[in-house]
Amino acid sequence: AELQRARSEKLEALGTLAAGAAHELSTPLATIAVVAKEVQLELAEMPVSDDLKADIALIRTELDRCRHILDQMSTNAGQATGETLADVTSSQLIEEIRSLLDVRLLNRLRIRDRSDNAVIRSPRLVLAQSLRGLIKNAFDASPEGTDVVVLLERTDQHLVMTIRDEGPGMPTEVLVRIGEPFFTTKEPGAGTGLGIFLAKNVIERIDGSLRIESNANDGTTVVVRLVRQQEPEEIAAAGALRGK
Ligand code: ADP
C-alpha cells in the first residue's frame, strides 16, 4: 500500500508537470503557428524556390504535430488540476465514449455490456477520452472490415472493460516499450505515443489497472479494471455477514 501510494504521488507529480508544461507551451506555439501561416501565404506570392516553400510547409506540419501532442498532454490536465470525481454508470461511460468516436468507426464497434450498470467513481470526461484512445488504437490496428469488440463485465470489486481487435498484435519489442511516453510506431503526425501512457496514468489514479495481452499475429486485448462502487444491497449484505 505504501509503494502504491508513493507511485500514485509520483504519477500525480508527473501529471501536474506535464499539464503545466503543455499549458505554458501552448501560447507561444499558437503564436508561432500564426506567423508560420502568414509567412507561407506571403511566400506563395513571391518568386522563391520550391525548396523554401517545402520548408515552410514542413514547419507548419511539425507545428501541427506539436499542438496535437500538447492537446493530448492537457487531456491529463483535468486530472492534475483535480477534475472532480463523479459516479458514472457503465452505460453513461459507453455513451460518453461513443460520442467521442468518429461515426464511421461506430459502425464497426461491437459493445457487449454485461455489467448490469455497474457504477464507478471517476473523472468522467478524462476517463472517457482515455478509453476512447485505447479503442482508437484497436481500430488503427484492425484490418479493413473487421470489428473491434468491447466487453463490459462486473466482478466483485471491479468493472472490467476488455477491448479486443483482430489486428497484427504487438511483437515483443513493441510490447516491452508500451506505456513509455512518446513511444509510437505510427507515422509522424498520426501518433504521439502518449495515448497508453496517459490512459494508464488516469486509470491508476483511480486505483484501476490496465493490462495488455498481445502476441504478434494474434490481435490485441486490452483489459481495463476499474474499481466498482458497492451498491446499497451489497453493503448491507457485507454488513450482515460481518454481523454473524
Ligand atoms: P499512439 O497511438 O499515438 O502511437 P499509444 O501510446 O496509444 O500511442 O500507442 C503506442 C503504440 O502501441 C502504437 O504506436 C502501436 O505501435 C502500439 N499499439 C497500441 N495499441 C495497439 C493495438 N491495439 N494493436 C497493435 N498495436 C498497438
Side-chain angles (χ1 to χ4, degrees):
E2 190 57 26
L3 254 175
Q4 181 86 27
R5 204 177 52 87
R7 182 169 159 70
S8 93
E9 270 170 17
K10 226 184 223 168
L11 282 175
E12 191 165 321
L14 199 61
T16 310
L17 185 70
H23 184 76
E24 290 301 317
L25 289 172
S26 64
T27 311
L29 192 75
T31 310
I32 296 171
V34 169
V35 174
K37 187 175 175 186
E38 282 168 2
V39 171
Q40 187 178 36
L41 288 173
E42 288 202 19
L43 285 183
E45 307 292 316
M46 288 158 73
V48 294
S49 72
D50 285 349
D51 272 358
L52 191 56
K53 287 181 184 167
D55 284 347
I56 187 75
L58 180 64
I59 289 174
R60 291 199 62 202
T61 311
E62 295 294 300
L63 281 170
D64 249 4
R65 182 162 156 217
C66 292
R67 192 177 45 79
H68 194 63
I69 292 174
L70 292 184
D71 280 353
Q72 273 213 349
M73 283 169 71
S74 51
T75 295
N76 211 27
Q79 275 286 307
T81 56
E83 184 192 301
T84 47
L85 302 184
D87 282 352
V88 187
T89 64
S90 57
S91 37
Q92 286 169 334
L93 188 61
I94 291 170
E95 267 327 295
E96 190 102 47
I97 294 169
R98 287 175 57 94
S99 74
L100 297 169
L101 279 168
D102 192 301
V103 278
R104 275 166 306 171
L105 296 185
L106 286 179
N107 288 328
R108 294 168 53 202
L109 183 63
R110 301 277 159 264
I111 295 177
R112 313 232 156 87
D113 186 359
R114 301 194 188 125
S115 73
D116 194 18
N117 252 336
V119 175
I120 55 162
R121 180 159 273 270
S122 72
R124 188 179 169 141
L125 182 61
V126 178
L127 179 67
Q129 283 168 336
S130 303
L131 297 172
R132 174 211 174 266
L134 300 176
I135 294 172
K136 183 71 174 31
N137 278 345
F139 277 114
D140 287 345
S142 289
E144 254 334 283
T146 62
D147 294 338
V148 166
V149 179
V150 173
L151 175 65
L152 289 122
E153 290 165 303
R154 68 154 70 198
T155 66
D156 257 8
Q157 309 281 340
H158 294 99
L159 167 65
V160 184
M161 177 184 273
T162 308
I163 303 163
R164 200 157 32 225
D165 66 64
E166 294 175 30
M170 299 178 205
T172 320
E173 65 269 23
V174 170
L175 205 49
V176 295
R177 296 196 56 191
I178 280 301
E180 221 176 82
F182 302 109
F183 171 73
T184 181
T185 60
K186 294 174 189 172
E187 295 283 304
T192 59
L194 284 171
I196 295 178
F197 170 72
L198 292 178
K200 201 163 187 297
N201 192 342
V202 168
I203 291 163
E204 288 181 356
R205 268 170 209 267
I206 49 172
D207 296 325
S209 65
L210 184 155
R211 202 181 70 232
I212 295 179
E213 291 161 13
S214 185
N215 297 308
N217 302 318
D218 192 26
T220 298
T221 303
V222 178
V223 183
V224 177
R225 301 173 76 85
L226 300 163
V227 176
R228 191 165 70 71
Q229 294 290 97
Q230 299 294 299
E231 281 145 29
E233 312 81 90
E234 292 176 300
I235 294 168
L241 272 181
R242 263 201 305 278
K244 271 190 190 164

